[in-house]
mmCIF file of all heavy atoms in Angstrom:
data_model
loop_
_atom_site.group_PDB
_atom_site.id
_atom_site.type_symbol
_atom_site.label_atom_id
_atom_site.label_comp_id
_atom_site.label_asym_id
_atom_site.label_seq_id
_atom_site.Cartn_x
_atom_site.Cartn_y
_atom_site.Cartn_z
ATOM 1 N N GLY A 263 3.736 -1.624 14.758
ATOM 2 C CA GLY A 263 2.402 -2.106 14.482
ATOM 3 C C GLY A 263 2.478 -3.533 13.971
ATOM 4 O O GLY A 263 3.379 -3.867 13.198
ATOM 5 N N ILE A 264 1.569 -4.381 14.424
ATOM 6 C CA ILE A 264 1.519 -5.780 13.985
ATOM 7 C C ILE A 264 0.120 -6.050 13.443
ATOM 8 O O ILE A 264 -0.873 -5.746 14.102
ATOM 9 C CB ILE A 264 1.812 -6.758 15.130
ATOM 10 C CG1 ILE A 264 3.135 -6.419 15.822
ATOM 11 C CG2 ILE A 264 1.836 -8.191 14.622
ATOM 12 C CD1 ILE A 264 3.426 -7.292 17.043
ATOM 13 N N THR A 265 0.036 -6.614 12.257
ATOM 14 C CA THR A 265 -1.242 -7.058 11.707
ATOM 15 C C THR A 265 -1.160 -8.550 11.428
ATOM 16 O O THR A 265 -0.120 -9.062 11.018
ATOM 17 C CB THR A 265 -1.596 -6.309 10.415
ATOM 18 O OG1 THR A 265 -0.560 -6.508 9.444
ATOM 19 C CG2 THR A 265 -1.748 -4.817 10.670
ATOM 20 N N PHE A 266 -2.265 -9.232 11.671
ATOM 21 C CA PHE A 266 -2.340 -10.668 11.419
ATOM 22 C C PHE A 266 -3.798 -11.031 11.172
ATOM 23 O O PHE A 266 -4.718 -10.261 11.496
ATOM 24 C CB PHE A 266 -1.771 -11.484 12.580
ATOM 25 C CG PHE A 266 -2.043 -10.920 13.957
ATOM 26 C CD1 PHE A 266 -3.342 -10.776 14.437
ATOM 27 C CD2 PHE A 266 -0.999 -10.522 14.771
ATOM 28 C CE1 PHE A 266 -3.589 -10.268 15.694
ATOM 29 C CE2 PHE A 266 -1.237 -10.000 16.044
ATOM 30 C CZ PHE A 266 -2.534 -9.881 16.499
ATOM 31 N N PRO A 267 -4.064 -12.197 10.580
ATOM 32 C CA PRO A 267 -5.453 -12.597 10.333
ATOM 33 C C PRO A 267 -6.223 -12.736 11.647
ATOM 34 O O PRO A 267 -5.682 -13.201 12.648
ATOM 35 C CB PRO A 267 -5.315 -13.955 9.629
ATOM 36 C CG PRO A 267 -3.932 -13.951 9.057
ATOM 37 C CD PRO A 267 -3.095 -13.161 10.015
ATOM 38 N N MET A 268 -7.480 -12.322 11.630
ATOM 39 C CA MET A 268 -8.301 -12.419 12.831
ATOM 40 C C MET A 268 -8.400 -13.858 13.324
ATOM 41 O O MET A 268 -8.427 -14.130 14.531
ATOM 42 C CB MET A 268 -9.703 -11.865 12.556
ATOM 43 C CG MET A 268 -10.621 -11.863 13.755
ATOM 44 S SD MET A 268 -10.169 -10.620 15.005
ATOM 45 C CE MET A 268 -10.809 -9.144 14.208
ATOM 46 N N ASP A 269 -8.452 -14.817 12.383
ATOM 47 C CA ASP A 269 -8.639 -16.216 12.770
ATOM 48 C C ASP A 269 -7.332 -16.967 12.984
ATOM 49 O O ASP A 269 -7.341 -18.193 13.154
ATOM 50 C CB ASP A 269 -9.476 -16.948 11.726
ATOM 51 C CG ASP A 269 -8.839 -16.923 10.334
ATOM 52 O OD1 ASP A 269 -7.809 -16.248 10.157
ATOM 53 O OD2 ASP A 269 -9.377 -17.581 9.423
ATOM 54 N N LEU A 270 -6.206 -16.265 13.001
ATOM 55 C CA LEU A 270 -4.935 -16.924 13.287
ATOM 56 C C LEU A 270 -4.950 -17.460 14.712
ATOM 57 O O LEU A 270 -5.471 -16.826 15.631
ATOM 58 C CB LEU A 270 -3.776 -15.940 13.108
ATOM 59 C CG LEU A 270 -2.359 -16.485 13.327
ATOM 60 C CD1 LEU A 270 -1.995 -17.508 12.254
ATOM 61 C CD2 LEU A 270 -1.336 -15.337 13.333
ATOM 62 N N ASN A 271 -4.375 -18.634 14.906
ATOM 63 C CA ASN A 271 -4.285 -19.230 16.236
ATOM 64 C C ASN A 271 -3.679 -18.229 17.227
ATOM 65 O O ASN A 271 -2.663 -17.592 16.941
ATOM 66 C CB ASN A 271 -3.418 -20.493 16.166
ATOM 67 C CG ASN A 271 -3.392 -21.263 17.466
ATOM 68 O OD1 ASN A 271 -2.952 -20.771 18.500
ATOM 69 N ND2 ASN A 271 -3.852 -22.503 17.429
ATOM 70 N N VAL A 272 -4.306 -18.076 18.410
ATOM 71 C CA VAL A 272 -3.845 -17.073 19.372
ATOM 72 C C VAL A 272 -2.411 -17.337 19.816
ATOM 73 O O VAL A 272 -1.674 -16.395 20.147
ATOM 74 C CB VAL A 272 -4.776 -16.999 20.600
ATOM 75 C CG1 VAL A 272 -6.117 -16.441 20.234
ATOM 76 C CG2 VAL A 272 -4.909 -18.356 21.266
ATOM 77 N N LYS A 273 -1.992 -18.593 19.813
ATOM 78 C CA LYS A 273 -0.615 -18.890 20.189
ATOM 79 C C LYS A 273 0.353 -18.291 19.170
ATOM 80 O O LYS A 273 1.410 -17.760 19.533
ATOM 81 C CB LYS A 273 -0.408 -20.402 20.291
ATOM 82 C CG LYS A 273 -1.212 -21.064 21.404
ATOM 83 C CD LYS A 273 -0.963 -22.567 21.429
ATOM 84 C CE LYS A 273 -1.782 -23.256 22.507
ATOM 85 N NZ LYS A 273 -1.544 -24.727 22.528
ATOM 86 N N MET A 274 -0.001 -18.362 17.880
ATOM 87 C CA MET A 274 0.857 -17.791 16.853
ATOM 88 C C MET A 274 0.815 -16.263 16.882
ATOM 89 O O MET A 274 1.792 -15.600 16.538
ATOM 90 C CB MET A 274 0.455 -18.320 15.479
ATOM 91 C CG MET A 274 0.675 -19.826 15.308
ATOM 92 S SD MET A 274 2.395 -20.335 15.645
ATOM 93 C CE MET A 274 2.267 -20.962 17.334
ATOM 94 N N LYS A 275 -0.325 -15.695 17.300
ATOM 95 C CA LYS A 275 -0.376 -14.250 17.487
ATOM 96 C C LYS A 275 0.595 -13.832 18.597
ATOM 97 O O LYS A 275 1.294 -12.819 18.476
ATOM 98 C CB LYS A 275 -1.795 -13.808 17.836
ATOM 99 C CG LYS A 275 -2.788 -13.921 16.686
ATOM 100 C CD LYS A 275 -4.165 -13.410 17.095
ATOM 101 C CE LYS A 275 -5.169 -13.506 15.947
ATOM 102 N NZ LYS A 275 -6.504 -12.985 16.314
ATOM 103 N N ALA A 276 0.644 -14.620 19.663
ATOM 104 C CA ALA A 276 1.584 -14.329 20.748
ATOM 105 C C ALA A 276 3.023 -14.452 20.267
ATOM 106 O O ALA A 276 3.888 -13.652 20.648
ATOM 107 C CB ALA A 276 1.332 -15.277 21.925
ATOM 108 N N VAL A 277 3.292 -15.438 19.406
ATOM 109 C CA VAL A 277 4.652 -15.597 18.877
ATOM 110 C C VAL A 277 5.006 -14.431 17.967
ATOM 111 O O VAL A 277 6.162 -13.973 17.945
ATOM 112 C CB VAL A 277 4.784 -16.943 18.137
ATOM 113 C CG1 VAL A 277 6.186 -17.092 17.555
ATOM 114 C CG2 VAL A 277 4.502 -18.100 19.083
ATOM 115 N N MET A 278 4.042 -13.891 17.234
ATOM 116 C CA MET A 278 4.313 -12.720 16.408
ATOM 117 C C MET A 278 4.656 -11.503 17.261
ATOM 118 O O MET A 278 5.494 -10.681 16.887
ATOM 119 C CB MET A 278 3.123 -12.427 15.495
ATOM 120 C CG MET A 278 3.027 -13.351 14.290
ATOM 121 S SD MET A 278 1.759 -12.860 13.100
ATOM 122 C CE MET A 278 2.364 -11.248 12.591
ATOM 123 N N ILE A 279 4.020 -11.382 18.421
ATOM 124 C CA ILE A 279 4.401 -10.311 19.346
ATOM 125 C C ILE A 279 5.849 -10.499 19.777
ATOM 126 O O ILE A 279 6.639 -9.543 19.823
ATOM 127 C CB ILE A 279 3.456 -10.297 20.564
ATOM 128 C CG1 ILE A 279 2.037 -9.917 20.126
ATOM 129 C CG2 ILE A 279 3.959 -9.338 21.636
ATOM 130 C CD1 ILE A 279 1.006 -10.003 21.244
ATOM 131 N N GLY A 280 6.223 -11.745 20.079
ATOM 132 C CA GLY A 280 7.613 -12.028 20.431
ATOM 133 C C GLY A 280 8.567 -11.690 19.301
ATOM 134 O O GLY A 280 9.658 -11.149 19.524
ATOM 135 N N ALA A 281 8.175 -11.976 18.053
ATOM 136 C CA ALA A 281 9.013 -11.663 16.906
ATOM 137 C C ALA A 281 9.249 -10.161 16.801
ATOM 138 O O ALA A 281 10.347 -9.710 16.455
ATOM 139 C CB ALA A 281 8.374 -12.187 15.624
ATOM 140 N N CYS A 282 8.229 -9.379 17.120
ATOM 141 C CA CYS A 282 8.374 -7.922 17.079
ATOM 142 C C CYS A 282 9.427 -7.443 18.068
ATOM 143 O O CYS A 282 10.263 -6.599 17.747
ATOM 144 C CB CYS A 282 7.021 -7.273 17.373
ATOM 145 S SG CYS A 282 7.042 -5.476 17.294
ATOM 146 N N PHE A 283 9.422 -7.989 19.273
ATOM 147 C CA PHE A 283 10.422 -7.599 20.268
ATOM 148 C C PHE A 283 11.824 -8.010 19.827
ATOM 149 O O PHE A 283 12.784 -7.256 20.015
ATOM 150 C CB PHE A 283 10.087 -8.208 21.627
ATOM 151 C CG PHE A 283 8.935 -7.535 22.327
ATOM 152 C CD1 PHE A 283 7.745 -8.209 22.546
ATOM 153 C CD2 PHE A 283 9.040 -6.236 22.770
ATOM 154 C CE1 PHE A 283 6.676 -7.596 23.182
ATOM 155 C CE2 PHE A 283 7.988 -5.604 23.414
ATOM 156 C CZ PHE A 283 6.794 -6.283 23.617
ATOM 157 N N LEU A 284 11.958 -9.200 19.257
ATOM 158 C CA LEU A 284 13.269 -9.641 18.789
ATOM 159 C C LEU A 284 13.779 -8.723 17.685
ATOM 160 O O LEU A 284 14.955 -8.330 17.686
ATOM 161 C CB LEU A 284 13.193 -11.083 18.293
ATOM 162 C CG LEU A 284 14.509 -11.691 17.788
ATOM 163 C CD1 LEU A 284 15.565 -11.707 18.886
ATOM 164 C CD2 LEU A 284 14.273 -13.105 17.254
ATOM 165 N N ILE A 285 12.922 -8.353 16.743
ATOM 166 C CA ILE A 285 13.310 -7.445 15.666
ATOM 167 C C ILE A 285 13.716 -6.092 16.233
ATOM 168 O O ILE A 285 14.689 -5.471 15.786
ATOM 169 C CB ILE A 285 12.150 -7.308 14.661
ATOM 170 C CG1 ILE A 285 12.006 -8.604 13.859
ATOM 171 C CG2 ILE A 285 12.364 -6.123 13.729
ATOM 172 C CD1 ILE A 285 10.751 -8.665 13.003
ATOM 173 N N ASP A 286 12.994 -5.607 17.229
ATOM 174 C CA ASP A 286 13.340 -4.330 17.854
ATOM 175 C C ASP A 286 14.750 -4.365 18.427
ATOM 176 O O ASP A 286 15.568 -3.473 18.170
ATOM 177 C CB ASP A 286 12.324 -4.013 18.955
ATOM 178 C CG ASP A 286 12.622 -2.686 19.657
ATOM 179 O OD1 ASP A 286 13.164 -1.782 19.003
ATOM 180 O OD2 ASP A 286 12.297 -2.561 20.853
ATOM 181 N N PHE A 287 15.062 -5.404 19.191
ATOM 182 C CA PHE A 287 16.394 -5.491 19.796
ATOM 183 C C PHE A 287 17.479 -5.662 18.741
ATOM 184 O O PHE A 287 18.565 -5.101 18.857
ATOM 185 C CB PHE A 287 16.446 -6.652 20.796
ATOM 186 C CG PHE A 287 16.005 -6.287 22.180
ATOM 187 C CD1 PHE A 287 14.659 -6.213 22.495
ATOM 188 C CD2 PHE A 287 16.931 -6.001 23.176
ATOM 189 C CE1 PHE A 287 14.240 -5.879 23.769
ATOM 190 C CE2 PHE A 287 16.527 -5.650 24.456
ATOM 191 C CZ PHE A 287 15.171 -5.588 24.757
ATOM 192 N N MET A 288 17.208 -6.420 17.699
ATOM 193 C CA MET A 288 18.237 -6.708 16.702
ATOM 194 C C MET A 288 18.578 -5.503 15.835
ATOM 195 O O MET A 288 19.744 -5.281 15.497
ATOM 196 C CB MET A 288 17.795 -7.875 15.814
ATOM 197 C CG MET A 288 17.829 -9.226 16.484
ATOM 198 S SD MET A 288 17.401 -10.559 15.340
ATOM 199 C CE MET A 288 18.749 -10.443 14.148
ATOM 200 N N PHE A 289 17.561 -4.708 15.478
ATOM 201 C CA PHE A 289 17.780 -3.693 14.457
ATOM 202 C C PHE A 289 17.529 -2.256 14.895
ATOM 203 O O PHE A 289 17.988 -1.330 14.213
ATOM 204 C CB PHE A 289 16.895 -3.992 13.234
ATOM 205 C CG PHE A 289 17.206 -5.296 12.567
ATOM 206 C CD1 PHE A 289 16.379 -6.386 12.740
ATOM 207 C CD2 PHE A 289 18.343 -5.440 11.789
ATOM 208 C CE1 PHE A 289 16.669 -7.601 12.130
ATOM 209 C CE2 PHE A 289 18.645 -6.642 11.175
ATOM 210 C CZ PHE A 289 17.804 -7.722 11.343
ATOM 211 N N PHE A 290 16.833 -2.023 16.001
ATOM 212 C CA PHE A 290 16.434 -0.653 16.320
ATOM 213 C C PHE A 290 16.817 -0.201 17.721
ATOM 214 O O PHE A 290 16.585 0.943 18.073
ATOM 215 C CB PHE A 290 14.921 -0.507 16.133
ATOM 216 C CG PHE A 290 14.463 -0.889 14.763
ATOM 217 C CD1 PHE A 290 13.734 -2.061 14.571
ATOM 218 C CD2 PHE A 290 14.770 -0.110 13.670
ATOM 219 C CE1 PHE A 290 13.315 -2.428 13.305
ATOM 220 C CE2 PHE A 290 14.356 -0.464 12.398
ATOM 221 C CZ PHE A 290 13.623 -1.629 12.209
ATOM 222 N N GLU A 291 17.399 -1.050 18.521
ATOM 223 C CA GLU A 291 17.745 -0.675 19.888
ATOM 224 C C GLU A 291 18.928 0.274 19.932
ATOM 225 O O GLU A 291 19.178 0.924 20.937
ATOM 226 C CB GLU A 291 18.038 -1.939 20.705
ATOM 227 C CG GLU A 291 18.225 -1.721 22.199
ATOM 228 C CD GLU A 291 16.941 -1.312 22.918
ATOM 229 O OE1 GLU A 291 15.879 -1.315 22.282
ATOM 230 O OE2 GLU A 291 17.016 -0.972 24.112
ATOM 231 N N HIS A 292 19.667 0.412 18.829
ATOM 232 C CA HIS A 292 20.836 1.303 18.786
ATOM 233 C C HIS A 292 20.485 2.729 18.413
ATOM 234 O O HIS A 292 21.366 3.573 18.368
ATOM 235 C CB HIS A 292 21.834 0.798 17.740
ATOM 236 C CG HIS A 292 22.818 -0.193 18.268
ATOM 237 N ND1 HIS A 292 23.589 0.044 19.378
ATOM 238 C CD2 HIS A 292 23.164 -1.425 17.826
ATOM 239 C CE1 HIS A 292 24.381 -1.009 19.593
ATOM 240 N NE2 HIS A 292 24.127 -1.915 18.673
ATOM 241 N N ALA A 293 19.228 3.018 18.124
ATOM 242 C CA ALA A 293 18.879 4.286 17.475
ATOM 243 C C ALA A 293 19.390 5.503 18.224
ATOM 244 O O ALA A 293 19.787 6.494 17.624
ATOM 245 C CB ALA A 293 17.360 4.386 17.309
ATOM 246 N N GLY A 294 19.403 5.448 19.553
ATOM 247 C CA GLY A 294 19.787 6.613 20.323
ATOM 248 C C GLY A 294 21.280 6.889 20.330
ATOM 249 O O GLY A 294 21.711 7.991 20.668
ATOM 250 N N ASP A 295 22.143 5.909 19.970
ATOM 251 C CA ASP A 295 23.587 6.153 20.011
ATOM 252 C C ASP A 295 24.229 6.093 18.624
ATOM 253 O O ASP A 295 25.431 5.896 18.486
ATOM 254 C CB ASP A 295 24.277 5.160 20.955
ATOM 255 C CG ASP A 295 24.026 3.706 20.552
ATOM 256 O OD1 ASP A 295 23.525 3.469 19.435
ATOM 257 O OD2 ASP A 295 24.330 2.823 21.369
ATOM 258 N N ASN A 296 23.394 6.255 17.587
ATOM 259 C CA ASN A 296 23.881 6.344 16.208
ATOM 260 C C ASN A 296 24.634 5.119 15.739
ATOM 261 O O ASN A 296 25.503 5.205 14.876
ATOM 262 C CB ASN A 296 24.781 7.584 16.037
ATOM 263 C CG ASN A 296 24.041 8.885 16.326
ATOM 264 O OD1 ASN A 296 22.897 9.038 15.930
ATOM 265 N ND2 ASN A 296 24.692 9.796 17.035
ATOM 266 N N GLN A 297 24.335 3.956 16.301
ATOM 267 C CA GLN A 297 24.963 2.719 15.856
ATOM 268 C C GLN A 297 23.923 1.709 15.387
ATOM 269 O O GLN A 297 24.121 0.507 15.470
ATOM 270 C CB GLN A 297 25.785 2.104 17.003
ATOM 271 C CG GLN A 297 26.950 2.967 17.437
ATOM 272 C CD GLN A 297 27.740 2.320 18.567
ATOM 273 O OE1 GLN A 297 27.441 1.216 19.001
ATOM 274 N NE2 GLN A 297 28.753 3.005 19.046
ATOM 275 N N GLN A 298 22.805 2.219 14.884
ATOM 276 C CA GLN A 298 21.732 1.334 14.457
ATOM 277 C C GLN A 298 22.196 0.425 13.336
ATOM 278 O O GLN A 298 22.850 0.852 12.392
ATOM 279 C CB GLN A 298 20.541 2.167 13.987
ATOM 280 C CG GLN A 298 19.379 1.315 13.485
ATOM 281 C CD GLN A 298 18.201 2.162 13.091
ATOM 282 O OE1 GLN A 298 17.973 3.218 13.645
ATOM 283 N NE2 GLN A 298 17.427 1.690 12.127
ATOM 284 N N ARG A 299 21.838 -0.853 13.430
ATOM 285 C CA ARG A 299 22.147 -1.794 12.360
ATOM 286 C C ARG A 299 21.321 -1.464 11.130
ATOM 287 O O ARG A 299 20.185 -1.034 11.214
ATOM 288 C CB ARG A 299 21.833 -3.226 12.808
ATOM 289 C CG ARG A 299 22.696 -3.717 13.925
ATOM 290 C CD ARG A 299 22.345 -5.157 14.266
ATOM 291 N NE ARG A 299 22.602 -6.046 13.131
ATOM 292 C CZ ARG A 299 22.355 -7.355 13.165
ATOM 293 N NH1 ARG A 299 21.835 -7.894 14.245
ATOM 294 N NH2 ARG A 299 22.626 -8.113 12.130
ATOM 295 N N THR A 300 21.904 -1.668 9.972
ATOM 296 C CA THR A 300 21.195 -1.399 8.725
ATOM 297 C C THR A 300 20.947 -2.667 7.921
ATOM 298 O O THR A 300 20.411 -2.604 6.828
ATOM 299 C CB THR A 300 21.998 -0.400 7.858
ATOM 300 O OG1 THR A 300 23.315 -0.934 7.631
ATOM 301 C CG2 THR A 300 22.103 0.941 8.547
ATOM 302 N N GLY A 301 21.370 -3.829 8.425
ATOM 303 C CA GLY A 301 21.151 -5.068 7.712
ATOM 304 C C GLY A 301 21.721 -6.226 8.474
ATOM 305 O O GLY A 301 22.173 -6.103 9.616
ATOM 306 N N VAL A 302 21.727 -7.409 7.829
ATOM 307 C CA VAL A 302 22.160 -8.617 8.530
ATOM 308 C C VAL A 302 23.668 -8.659 8.727
ATOM 309 O O VAL A 302 24.173 -9.442 9.544
ATOM 310 C CB VAL A 302 21.700 -9.873 7.753
ATOM 311 C CG1 VAL A 302 20.192 -9.960 7.760
ATOM 312 C CG2 VAL A 302 22.236 -9.871 6.321
#
């Protein structure tokens, strides 16, 4: 889930969507093989 101010620039809203995908790949893409990262 992503929340942001209604009046935030739409370009920055799009970048926040991109940030969500990057976070998913970095920290949660391992969930199915028990090698999920737990930190930096």
